[in-house]
Amino acid sequence: MTELRCRKTETLEGDKEEEERQNEPALHSEHDNEPVNTGDGLSVPSGGADDSLQQKDEGGEKEDDCHKQDASNTPSAPVKRSKSSSTSGFIQRLVRVFFGCLAAVACGMLYAVYLSTYHDRKFWFSTRQELEREITFQAGSGLYYYYYKHMLAAPSFERGFYELTIDNKTVSGQTINAVERLFLYPELITSFIYRATDIQDLVEPIYFYIGAVFGLQAVYVTALFVCSWVLSGTWVSGMLTVAWFVINRPDTTRVDHAIPLRDNWALPYFSCQVTALTGFLSNNISSATEMFCYLAMSATTFTFLLVWEHSHYVLFIQGLCLFLLDSFDLVPSRKMADIHKVYLSSLFLAYLFQFQNPALLSSPLLSLLIGSVLARYFQQKMKMGPLVARVMKLFLHFHLVFTTAITFSYLVKKLLPASEGDFIIKFLEVKFGLNTTADFVTNFLLCQESFQTPGQDLFLRLTQASVLPFYFLVLSICLLSTLQTIYRRLSGQPIKTNLRLEDGQIGEQPEVVYHVFHTLFFGGLALLFDGLKFLWTPYVCMFTAFGVCSPELWMTVFKWLKLKSIHPVVLSLILSTAVPTIIGFSLWREYCPRVLAELSDLPEFYDPDTIELISWIKSQAPVAAVFAGSPQMLGKVKLCSGSAVTSLPLYSDINLLRRTEDNYQIYAMRSAEDIYKILTSQKTNYVIIEDSICNELSLNKGCRIKDLLDISNGHAVYDKGEIYSFSKHGRFCHEIKMNYSPYTNYFTRVFWNRSYHVYKVNSVISFQY
């Protein structure tokens, strides 16, 4: 009060002096410019020096009086108080960030240790021999580990890399660039690090390989933790994200099923990219943080494109989300231009590193970027005008972008020498019931679990873990708030950059709106393809944890309800702490014993028939022998023996899928002569017949291999909804076991056990009757 009284007195006196100067303008104008001799040889304007000195003296006396009164009434100066408060605030923020980062890293490391322990106990990995360890790589994924072993066995890294680019020892009769065809950069980098470091005597190659995958899973979990933390402002949401991720592990990751799969290497980088993008879209970040997020986003986008053949499709869905953000004016145009630069530069670099891969040129992501850039150039005033005009411009913008994108994609596919666009369109037509086909490859892919619609058990598991009910609650609130924000933008209201908790507008945050679009797009695709749940479910866990821990979300609800009985800010802060605490306690009580019980279980994984078969191949078959069979079996043969095979377990290469169809003909109703011609055309020396496929019993009869072959070959007969097979030839895999002519003329059995029969393809036909 003393300081205020002094300042008021100074203001009143200043006003009086101003009035006196205004009342005597003539006097001032006559004497202001007259010089006055001061007696020391200096001349100053009259009234200038004396008056100014007098005013300074008077002002100094007043200031001294005020400071004396302040000193008597206050313990310290305001400047010191503000400095101490800012210092304490900085220390508090630093402590929160430190403990948050510590919790994020600890969660990632504990998850990696858990995966390693679970894997060792599931397969008894540490007690197995090298051959038995390699057989544990399921679903044909061990093929990738073979190339890792090849790089370690090469005389030098450069020599091994060169041999992979001209590989003629994998697929019989073909020379392939294995690095481009199989996206082997993870194996190249891992083998280079293993060779360059002095850990060969400490860690076995296979442990280093799977340890790299588990380490990336730790990065995956840590990135989800940080992303939820950035959205909600509290690292408690990150803890809840990790808890839900681990509980729903069968639906969040495939690392338990097959370690070397490409998505197990790629999705951690995508998670880091999404986290960097979330920070980059935020309005309340410094320029240094924005630059860091931009650089991290650039590096992870390029790496993601480099290690997975389907990555550009995933980024296309992300690009659609960002396209909607830009179209509805929810993010600054400057940031969208920077994101376009990231996409284009990453695509260009990945195109070069992937040996001019034509799939990247015909990718929908590049087509969308071209359409967006051209539309922004021609519609520079799209975000101006009244509501109706902006809506009409928006529809025109959508039409222009997608028309340009489709046209560009069509032209590129026509110019490229080989394109799989027609096959993908045919596949989607059959998937959505717009067409039917007898083509084996199309029906074979549709029967794969990843391409089928998810069952009800997925949603039942998510509901039992309590994530799905809260997810729908959070999504509904954020979606309604987003729609309100879109209406405000179309009505001409500018972007709000300094939001407060009291505003209750969570839809005004561009990073939140992005995740709303992200979860909607990927959720819609996960309802169509079961394999895409591994892209959707982790972000369901993250998005739900952010929502229940965010005071802004609860404040948005209270704003809608116009709550007045209790202060809404206080209640939102209470709920954002109480709700996740209750959820976390219930999850800990129910699921912690289950998770720990998984580590105590000791299932015995042992496949003596496969081990016997591989041992025979390594000891009895010639080194240059070529094997035919199912792609999963051929992947194990290639991994363990290094022998050439007729096909590979890859479902993204149409040419290899056609060769797989030829190999599967050994389970069809074809003659011995037909099978012999097919196998000799692929330079096959040995063919492996599996009883599990030949005698397959399944409730879904239409998806058995022999049923798909009968439909493709025209041997299927439909009668009252049942499928029957009829041909003048018996099923080859059954007939060849009878050891009678003409099968013995073309094939000679050289190995058999309870699960496998190996036949040598005779180079000279001996006719026996």
Side-chain angles (χ1 to χ4, degrees):
M1 293 298 294
T2 305
E3 180 183 0
L4 179 62
R5 192 179 302 113
C6 292
R7 290 181 178 176
K8 185 175 182 182
T9 304
E10 291 175 3
T11 304
L12 292 175
E13 291 176 355
D15 293 340
K16 290 180 180 179
E17 292 176 359
E18 182 67 25
E19 289 178 1
E20 292 175 358
R21 284 195 295 269
Q22 290 178 357
N23 292 332
E24 300 175 347
L27 181 62
H28 284 283
S29 61
E30 291 176 0
H31 300 284
D32 279 348
N33 295 327
E34 293 180 1
V36 177
N37 191 352
T38 60
D40 56 358
L42 296 176
S43 297
V44 296
S46 64
D50 296 338
D51 293 344
S52 61
L53 291 173
Q54 183 179 1
Q55 289 174 4
K56 287 182 180 179
D57 294 337
E58 292 174 358
E61 292 174 0
K62 292 176 182 178
E63 288 177 4
D64 292 339
D65 293 340
C66 290
H67 285 303
K68 289 177 182 179
Q69 293 175 3
D70 288 341
S72 61
N73 295 329
T74 57
S76 61
V79 176
K80 294 182 180 180
R81 193 163 55 244
S82 63
K83 287 183 178 179
S84 61
S85 62
S86 62
T87 303
S88 62
F90 174 75
I91 294 176
Q92 291 178 1
R93 289 194 299 270
L94 186 62
V95 170
R96 285 200 301 268
V97 170
F98 172 77
F99 281 104
C101 294
L102 185 65
V105 174
C107 286
M109 294 180 64
L110 288 175
Y111 180 63
V113 171
Y114 171 80
L115 285 178
S116 178
T117 306
Y118 176 76
H119 176 263
D120 185 72
R121 290 178 176 269
K122 180 180 179 180
F123 298 108
W124 293 35
F125 204 75
S126 58
T127 60
R128 300 292 188 190
Q129 299 297 323
E130 184 70 16
L131 176 60
E132 297 173 352
R133 290 175 180 174
E134 293 176 352
I135 291 178
T136 61
F137 292 132
Q138 302 175 21
S141 61
L143 177 68
Y144 299 103
Y145 181 71
Y146 162 77
Y147 291 104
Y148 170 75
K149 290 199 308 179
H150 171 81
M151 290 297 300
L152 295 181
S156 64
F157 179 83
E158 294 79 8
R159 180 63 184 177
F161 178 78
Y162 175 74
E163 291 176 352
L164 292 185
T165 58
I166 53 170
D167 182 15
N168 56 4
K169 298 179 180 179
T170 297
V171 181
S172 63
Q174 290 187 1
T175 299
I176 64 173
N177 186 340
V179 179
E180 176 193 357
R181 187 77 68 90
L182 283 82
F183 284 73
L184 294 180
Y185 275 102
E187 284 69 29
L188 293 177
I189 296 173
T190 308
S191 62
F192 177 79
I193 295 175
Y194 187 79
R195 295 173 67 115
T197 54
D198 297 330
I199 59 175
Q200 289 88 345
D201 298 332
L202 301 176
V203 182
E204 297 180 41
I206 194 169
Y207 277 105
F208 185 80
Y209 184 80
I210 64 174
V213 179
F214 292 153
L216 281 177
Q217 298 304 306
V219 174
Y220 195 179
V221 168
T222 303
L224 290 173
F225 184 109
V226 174
C227 187
S228 183
W229 180 11
V230 170
L231 286 171
S232 63
T234 172
W235 50 267
V236 176
S237 64
M239 301 285 288
L240 188 57
T241 298
V242 175
W244 268 327
F245 183 92
V246 175
I247 291 171
N248 298 282
R249 196 178 68 257
D251 302 313
T252 56
T253 178
R254 290 202 293 179
V255 72
D256 292 350
H257 180 62
I259 291 176
L261 291 178
R262 299 300 86 182
D263 48 345
N264 292 333
W265 289 95
L267 291 182
Y269 294 106
F270 180 65
S271 181
C272 294
Q273 191 257 10
V274 171
T275 303
L277 177 61
T278 302
F280 183 76
L281 292 175
S282 178
N283 291 324
N284 300 322
I285 59 172
S286 62
S287 58
T289 306
E290 182 178 315
M291 178 57 66
F292 172 78
C293 293
Y294 179 79
L295 295 177
M297 183 170 55
S298 303
T300 51
T301 302
F302 165 67
T303 309
F304 182 54
L305 285 169
L306 205 61
V307 300
W308 195 23
E309 64 268 28
H310 302 305
S311 56
H312 58 90
Y313 294 110
V314 178
L315 292 178
F316 167 69
I317 302 300
Q318 185 186 73
L320 283 178
C321 301
L322 296 171
F323 168 72
L324 292 179
L325 279 175
D326 181 45
S327 300
F328 294 125
D329 198 16
L330 301 176
V331 65
S333 300
R334 172 187 60 84
K335 291 189 176 183
M336 280 305 305
D338 292 339
I339 294 173
H340 283 170
K341 294 176 183 177
V342 170
Y343 281 150
L344 290 173
S345 59
S346 300
L347 280 172
F348 176 72
L349 291 176
Y351 175 76
L352 295 180
F353 276 78
Q354 281 294 339
F355 307 92
Q356 293 81 45
N357 187 356
L360 294 178
L361 291 181
S362 60
S363 65
L365 174 62
L366 182 59
S367 301
L368 178 64
L369 292 175
I370 297 297
S372 300
V373 171
L374 290 178
R376 285 164 62 92
Y377 176 78
F378 288 111
Q379 288 184 297
Q380 296 182 0
K381 298 183 179 181
M382 183 191 71
K383 302 175 183 179
M384 300 173 61
L387 176 62
V388 177
R390 295 187 68 173
V391 171
M392 296 298 294
K393 292 179 182 178
L394 194 60
F395 279 110
L396 179 61
H397 182 68
F398 288 163
H399 175 75
L400 182 60
V401 169
F402 290 110
T403 302
T404 306
I406 294 172
T407 304
F408 177 82
S409 178
Y410 175 80
L411 293 176
V412 170
K413 290 177 180 179
K414 287 297 181 182
L415 294 175
L416 290 178
S419 177
E420 301 176 6
D422 296 338
F423 173 75
I424 295 176
I425 293 175
K426 181 180 179 180
F427 171 81
L428 293 176
E429 287 178 353
V430 178
K431 170 64 180 179
F432 297 130
L434 302 177
N435 197 358
T436 58
T437 182
D439 181 61
F440 173 83
V441 173
T442 303
N443 292 326
F444 174 72
L445 291 178
L446 289 173
C447 287
Q448 299 301 308
E449 185 179 357
S450 298
F451 292 106
Q452 294 183 356
T453 56
Q456 296 181 356
D457 54 341
L458 168 64
F459 306 102
L460 181 61
R461 289 191 298 267
L462 294 178
T463 302
Q464 289 176 344
S466 74
V467 63
L468 199 60
F470 285 103
Y471 167 73
F472 284 127
L473 174 64
V474 172
L475 179 61
S476 301
I477 296 171
C478 292
L479 182 59
L480 289 176
S481 183
T482 298
L483 294 177
Q484 288 182 340
T485 303
I486 292 173
Y487 178 77
R488 296 191 194 101
R489 295 294 174 275
L490 294 177
S491 300
Q493 296 185 16
I495 300 176
K496 294 184 178 180
T497 57
N498 51 352
L499 291 173
R500 301 175 302 169
L501 178 60
E502 295 82 0
D503 295 334
Q505 297 177 1
I506 196 169
E508 287 284 350
Q509 302 178 21
E511 65 274 21
V512 174
V513 179
Y514 160 72
H515 280 283
V516 170
F517 292 150
H518 180 108
T519 190
L520 287 176
F521 275 108
F522 283 102
L525 291 173
L527 294 177
L528 299 175
F529 302 101
D530 185 68
L532 290 179
K533 68 182 180 182
F534 301 109
L535 281 168
W536 176 62
T537 313
Y539 295 96
V540 168
C541 301
M542 185 277 300
F543 187 75
T544 308
F546 137 72
V548 298
C549 296
S550 174
E552 288 82 2
L553 183 133
W554 297 107
M555 191 64 198
T556 302
V557 177
F558 298 149
K559 274 288 185 178
W560 291 343
L561 298 178
K562 298 181 179 179
L563 185 67
K564 296 182 179 179
S565 58
I566 304 177
H567 199 285
V569 175
V570 177
L571 186 58
S572 63
L573 293 173
I574 293 175
L575 288 178
S576 63
T577 304
V579 173
T581 303
I582 296 172
I583 295 174
F585 178 76
S586 62
L587 292 178
W588 176 271
R589 182 178 180 181
E590 181 175 358
Y591 286 96
C592 185
R594 299 186 189 182
V595 173
L596 295 178
E598 291 180 347
L599 298 180
S600 61
D601 292 339
L602 295 175
E604 184 173 357
F605 178 84
Y606 189 59
D607 191 357
D609 293 342
T610 303
I611 294 175
E612 185 181 4
L613 170 64
I614 299 299
S615 300
W616 179 87
I617 292 175
K618 295 178 68 175
S619 60
Q620 301 296 327
V623 177
V626 177
F627 286 84
S630 67
Q632 290 78 14
M633 189 69 242
L634 294 181
K636 293 181 180 179
V637 171
K638 184 63 184 176
L639 165 63
C640 301
S641 67
S643 300
V645 295
T646 56
S647 184
L648 297 175
L650 294 178
Y651 299 147
S652 58
D653 191 315
I654 187 63
N655 296 322
L656 288 176
L657 285 171
R658 295 299 179 191
R659 291 176 69 96
T660 298
E661 179 183 3
D662 292 338
N663 288 339
Y664 272 135
Q665 293 298 324
I666 59 179
Y667 303 105
M669 304 175 73
R670 303 284 294 272
S671 66
E673 184 179 2
D674 292 342
I675 301 299
Y676 182 81
K677 290 180 179 178
I678 292 174
L679 295 177
T680 53
S681 66
Q682 298 179 355
K683 301 180 180 180
T684 305
N685 302 117
Y686 296 91
V687 57
I688 304 174
I689 295 178
E690 303 172 52
D691 285 343
S692 59
I693 300 177
C694 187
N695 304 321
E696 183 179 3
L697 297 176
S698 175
L699 296 176
N700 190 5
K701 293 184 178 180
C703 277
R704 296 183 302 182
I705 295 297
K706 50 189 178 182
D707 294 335
L708 297 175
L709 291 167
D710 292 342
I711 294 173
S712 176
N713 296 332
H715 299 155
V717 178
Y718 297 90
D719 184 19
K720 297 180 180 179
E722 295 292 332
I723 301 177
Y724 301 96
S725 300
F726 176 79
S727 175
K728 63 180 180 179
H729 302 288
R731 197 166 299 280
F732 178 83
C733 62
H734 288 153
E735 298 296 325
I736 196 175
K737 296 175 185 177
M738 303 298 179
N739 288 328
Y740 61 78
S741 181
Y743 296 93
T744 55
N745 300 339
Y746 299 100
F747 307 95
T748 302
R749 187 168 64 178
V750 294
F751 173 85
W752 70 93
N753 59 22
R754 294 177 301 175
S755 302
Y756 305 102
H757 294 257
V758 181
Y759 291 86
K760 181 180 179 181
V761 181
N762 296 331
S763 56
V764 178
I765 302 175
S766 59
F767 290 96
Q768 301 175 5
Y769 298 95

